[in-house]
């Protein structure tokens, strides 16, 4: 069961072989990585957002704010616009009351909402489709809370790239290219760019 989670993508794919995937669900609006980029701005945290949220969350209470976990008709789809908006409303409300923003608690509560959603949906899909292993990839896979959630469970073997490779698009493209090449999928230089090209 492959969870692809980045600034542009959040999706679950059942992978039966290299280049053989079945998409089970994807984001209906913002990708998780996009939310991780935008919420820090609301909290006055520096760019890049993902590491800033993670660092602030380390000293925060993840249960202080009850940010939403989207419940959708299709169980393996994602939606992160709601949690992002909930943080915005909370920040605006606190500012109206002239209160200092509890940045660490806001960051921890936001991170907990996103991580719980990613983890629970992936585990549910892995169980339903009787997966043997879980793969977590993409820039957000560098998030320690997300990594810990998967690594602390003992139901499935989990594969997560080293931190140095989580945001290395060149390595991902090279790996995908290798498997395509070994299967005889060759293209000449006349090939055009297709931004919405399917995985397989």
């Amino acid at each position: 069961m492959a969870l692809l989670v980045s600034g542009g993508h959040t999706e679950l794919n059942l992978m039966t072989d290299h280049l053989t995937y079945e998409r089970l669900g994807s984001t209906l609006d913002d990708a998780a990585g996009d939310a991780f980029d935008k919420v820090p701005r609301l909290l006055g945290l520096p760019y890049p957002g993902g590491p800033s949220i993670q660092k602030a969350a380390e000293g925060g209470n993840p249960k202080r704010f009850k940010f939403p976990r989207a419940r959708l008709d299709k169980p393996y789809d994602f939606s992160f616009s709601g949690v992002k908006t909930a943080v915005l409303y909370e920040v605006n409300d606190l500012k109206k009351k002239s209160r200092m923003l509890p940045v660490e608690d806001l960051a921890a509560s936001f991170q907990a909402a996103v991580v719980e959603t990613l983890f629970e949906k992936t585990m549910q899909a892995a169980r339903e489709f009787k997966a043997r292993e879980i793969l977590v990839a993409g820039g957000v896979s560098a998030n320690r809370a997300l990594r810990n959630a998967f690594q602390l469970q003992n139901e499935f073997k989990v594969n997560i790239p080293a931190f140095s490779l989580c945001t290395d698009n060149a390595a991902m493209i090279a790996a995908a290219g290798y498997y395509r090449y070994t299967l005889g999928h060759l293209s000449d230089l006349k090939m055009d760019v297709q931004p919405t090209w399917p995985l397989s």
Side-chain angles (χ1 to χ4, degrees), residues 19-136:
L19 309 184
T20 307
Y21 314 93
E22 177 187 353
R23 181 184 291 181
L24 304 178
S26 60
T27 185
L28 302 179
D29 41 56
D30 300 328
D34 185 54
F36 267 108
D37 282 338
K38 290 179 179 174
V39 166
R41 295 178 205 162
L42 302 175
L43 305 182
L45 294 171
Y47 183 87
S52 293
I53 283 284
Q54 177 178 280
K55 185 175 181 180
E58 289 172 359
N61 177 3
K63 296 182 179 179
R64 179 169 176 184
F65 298 98
K66 303 297 182 186
F67 293 134
R69 279 74 163 158
R71 303 291 176 230
L72 305 170
D73 293 336
K74 294 182 179 180
Y76 302 124
D77 279 341
F78 298 90
S79 172
F80 295 103
S81 64
V83 66
K84 188 176 66 176
T85 302
V87 175
L88 172 63
Y89 287 161
E90 191 66 48
V91 167
N92 288 342
D93 189 50
L94 288 165
K95 286 181 178 178
K96 284 178 187 175
K97 295 174 181 175
S98 298
R99 294 183 182 172
M100 183 177 293
L101 287 183
V103 172
E104 293 181 340
D105 291 346
L106 287 163
S109 298
F110 163 74
Q111 179 177 260
V114 174
V115 167
E116 181 183 310
T117 299
L118 295 170
F119 175 74
E120 292 296 339
K121 285 179 178 279
T122 304
M123 293 294 290
Q124 181 183 342
R127 293 183 192 113
E128 179 178 342
F129 291 90
K130 297 178 172 53
R132 290 183 302 210
E133 300 180 9
I134 290 173
L135 168 67
V136 184

Side-chain angles (χ1 to χ4, degrees), residues 159-182:
N159 303 283
I160 306 178
F163 283 109
S164 62
L165 296 176
C166 288
T167 57
D168 190 340
N169 285 340
M172 297 179 211
I173 292 167
Y178 167 79
Y179 285 106
R180 288 184 181 278
Y181 179 78
T182 57

Side-chain angles (χ1 to χ4, degrees), residues 36 50 53-54 111 115 139-148 163:
F36 267 108
I53 283 284
Q54 177 178 280
Q111 179 177 260
V115 167
V140 180
S141 66
N143 180 272
R144 274 197 292 270
L146 182 64
R147 297 170 83 93
N148 287 342
F163 283 109

Side-chain angles (χ1 to χ4, degrees), residues 1-6 8-26 135 137-138 169 172-173 175-181 183 185 194-200:
M1 186 60 56
L3 172 65
L4 175 58
V5 58
S6 68
H9 302 279
T10 302
E11 58 185 62
L12 275 171
N13 295 282
L14 180 62
M15 179 178 174
T16 53
D17 200 351
H18 289 290
L19 309 184
T20 307
Y21 314 93
E22 177 187 353
R23 181 184 291 181
L24 304 178
S26 60
L135 168 67
N169 285 340
M172 297 179 211
I173 292 167
Y178 167 79
Y179 285 106
R180 288 184 181 278
Y181 179 78
L183 291 172
H185 297 188
Q194 296 184 37
T196 57
W197 227 335
L199 283 171
S200 58

